[in-house]
Amino acid sequence: MYKHLPDFGISNKILLVEDDPSYVRLVEIMLEQSDLGECEITNVSTLADGLKALKEGNYAAILLDLNLPDSTGFETLETFLTHYPNNNIIVLTGASDKYLGLKAVKAGAQDYLEKGEFDFPQLAKSLRFSIERSNILSRLEDAQRIAKIGHWECRLNKEFFFASNEVYRIFNLDPVEAKFVYADLKNPENPLHVLIQMEEEAKLLGISKREERIVIRNGSTRFISLTCKATRNSLGHYHFNGILQDITEQKRAEEMRNARDLAQESAKIKEQVIANVSHEMRTPMNAILGMTNLLLPMVKEKEEYEYVYSIKQSSEVLLGIINDILHVSAYQNNEIHFSSNAFNLTTVMQDLMEAMRPKAQEKKLDFDLFLPSGLHQQIIGDKLRLNQILYNLVGNAIKFTDKGGVKVKIEILRQTIDFLELRFSIKDSGIGIPDSELESIFETFTRISRKDRVTEGTGLGLAITKKIIEQQGGKIQVVSQLGSGSVFYFDLMFELAPETQLKNKPYKENNSAKDSSTLSFSVLIVEDHKMNQLVIQRTLEKHWKNVKVIVTSNGDEAIEVLEKQSVDIILMDLQMPIRDGFETTNYIRKNMPVQIAQTPILAMTAHHMISQQEKFSRYGLDDYVLKPFDPEQLFEKIEFHLARKALKNA
Ligand code: ADP
């Protein structure tokens, strides 16, 4: 049955500690005749030789005669158990020493056999158990080694200490060499001294747990987790059981995870701070730009006009930078949504060229647009984002070109009945980009420093452009030669629009023919920022002679006003103390008389993503105007909503 023992450290060797040769021979004969298979028997005749043999070899069982030349009686067993508590000891007693056998089993021997009394089956049965047990212990050791968990136990009254081999291995000690006894642990220099500390804690708490950082013999560090449980027997003696696990790998992985989380967290905080600061900057920018717009037509002197005009221009540049930063953080958080409306591609391209031409002319550059013949004019997509991409690439091309020119070109890559795939390319004869920088220019905040140029810009434009293109399924590429120029090109797909979808210019249509400056209506401004109150009020009053403007600084004040009188339209700041714009709108819609509850409400906000917020429509806002506001857009939106209201009431 045991002839083919599996090969994982399991032994079928038997140590026979017996000084009487006749018994030795008897046992040998019995084993030869038993069905135990090939057992290898090693015979020693003294206690000292027995201990030595155990130190050197691995035995499935020990047949131990208690009366040896160098030790007699129960002491023989105790000595063996103290040194090798996990070995399978079958005690051989004389017929008169039966009580000793029972005592031996109680103390930790596996079995006892009375000399002269036992027969083949009895011996075989006992040994079979031993081999089985040894087998299980060997598997347990394998499991401990794989899991890097060791166990140990200690009985204080007997100064008994045992630790599994894995405990020693975790401390980088040789299990056979080290084999500490309890007295060794008391030495503070002993690597396992920590177990004594664990015991002291466990005495107080019942169970003690801790994690330790240890330096092992080769100087490297390991992290171990220790648990020790204390129990007491009826006599009050302590018995400790503990486990010890090498958690170095988990700890390192955890450390790396923490470091990564921290890095991500701080990157997020950095982005958030930048986004918040930029956002906060838009409110004062609103005042600066608004006031400049108001001031400009009033200035008569040429020199003064130039000063005010350059304030306006610089403010617009600053606003562009702030917007870029806000865009980047929005793109990085994937907060961008694309609209799809029909628009005329040729018009978009021509408008772009007209807007950029003055810049090109200033630098005496050629500036040309090439459109393919047969280009389908009406396409569906996000016109604003396409403009954003093109303004950025064309702007860069002009910025980095000093002679020659810039060519903007569209090619048709593919066209089906429904779709059109276009390649847009922007070619310049400018300073070019070094090969080593071709990849990194698309990363945020990358600007190439050039010896002979002041570096302008934030280094965000291309990062934003790339994101917008990629999020629409396209790809941007660049080919460049230092000193000769660059070509940036990207491909995008568009749906072809049916003719009817084109008529979506709501604001101008109703009123474009009429002169609206004589419109007479009342508007309630709800805005906490004093300068902005003034800018909006003056802008409206300048545009409409007959407008009645009521200014309030928060939601409560606005509600108070509305309780006394109705207005034609409300301009609502969203971020306000006391009652913010959302709550105020909600209150007006839900709790005020119908006539007031239906007043058009336009949000005034610096959040360019506001209309995508679920709160926006839920609270009943009709529309929004971005801060810093474009006066023309504000006028258009007010007129549109007044006209709509008039239509509803008619
Ligand atoms: P910025 O807003 O600073 O222009 P971009 O992200 O748009 O940032 O561009 C990053 C860098 O790439 C620029 O600083 C410039 O060095 C380089 N670059 C972009 N376009 C061109 C171009 N057409 N010719 C030469 N260099 C360019």
Side-chain angles (χ1 to χ4, degrees), residues 23 26-27 29-31 33-34 36 63 92 112-127:
Y23 268 108
L26 180 66
V27 170
I29 292 167
M30 280 184 178
L31 286 180
Q33 292 177 1
S34 78
L36 270 178
L63 287 167
L92 302 173
Y112 74 95
L113 298 171
E114 275 177 54
K115 277 186 180 175
E117 293 291 315
F118 63 86
D119 53 13
F120 293 175
Q122 248 184 315
L123 178 65
K125 187 177 145 208
S126 214
L127 284 176

Side-chain angles (χ1 to χ4, degrees), residues 392 396-397 399-400 428 431-433 441 446-448 450 456-463 486 488:
N392 193 9
N396 275 351
K399 186 158 80 176
F400 295 105
D428 65 59
I431 58 172
I433 301 161
I441 52 168
T446 302
R447 295 180 310 172
I448 310 167
R450 324 258 184 173
E456 314 148 60
T458 52
L460 290 173
L462 286 179
S486 320
F488 282 82

Side-chain angles (χ1 to χ4, degrees), residues 37-38 47 55 92 102 131 182 245 334 454 497 547 574 648:
E38 288 165 14
L47 172 80
K55 193 167 182 180
L92 302 173
L102 288 170
I131 293 172
Y182 189 72
Q245 185 176 14
N334 287 331
V454 182
V547 66
L574 291 182
K648 263 198 215 163

Side-chain angles (χ1 to χ4, degrees), residues 324 392-401 426-428 430-434 437 440-450 453 455-465 478 480 482 485-488:
D324 271 2
N392 193 9
L393 295 178
V394 175
N396 275 351
I398 298 174
K399 186 158 80 176
F400 295 105
T401 304
I426 295 91
K427 181 172 186 204
D428 65 59
I431 58 172
I433 301 161
E437 305 282 350
S440 65
I441 52 168
F442 294 104
E443 285 162 18
T444 44
F445 300 108
T446 302
R447 295 180 310 172
I448 310 167
S449 57
R450 324 258 184 173
R453 283 182 103 84
T455 321
E456 314 148 60
T458 52
L460 290 173
L462 286 179
I464 297 172
T465 304
V478 56
S480 187
L482 204 56
S486 320
V487 190
F488 282 82

Side-chain angles (χ1 to χ4, degrees), residues 227-283:
T227 306
C228 170
K229 196 173 167 207
T231 46
R232 289 171 94 165
N233 65 12
S234 54
L235 298 172
H237 296 139
Y238 276 105
H239 184 180
F240 301 100
N241 275 301
I243 56 168
L244 198 151
Q245 185 176 14
D246 180 350
I247 52 165
T248 312
E249 277 170 30
Q250 291 98 307
K251 263 276 185 252
R252 299 259 145 86
E254 195 182 314
E255 276 172 5
M256 278 172 71
R257 240 189 343 263
N258 288 345
R260 190 198 58 203
D261 288 351
L262 195 70
Q264 279 175 347
E265 185 67 10
S266 53
K268 240 196 181 142
I269 291 171
K270 193 181 90 192
E271 264 171 39
Q272 196 57 48
V273 169
I274 294 176
N276 288 349
V277 169
S278 315
H279 187 257
E280 289 308 312
M281 282 163 79
R282 284 171 69 123
T283 307

Side-chain angles (χ1 to χ4, degrees), residues 139-161:
R139 287 199 180 116
L140 178 66
E141 176 155 357
D142 280 347
Q144 291 203 352
R145 196 193 281 254
I146 293 165
K148 295 187 178 167
I149 298 179
H151 77 276
W152 55 276
E153 67 176 284
C154 184
R155 281 182 212 129
L156 280 195
N157 59 325
K158 293 185 179 160
E159 295 242 315
F160 163 81
F161 171 74

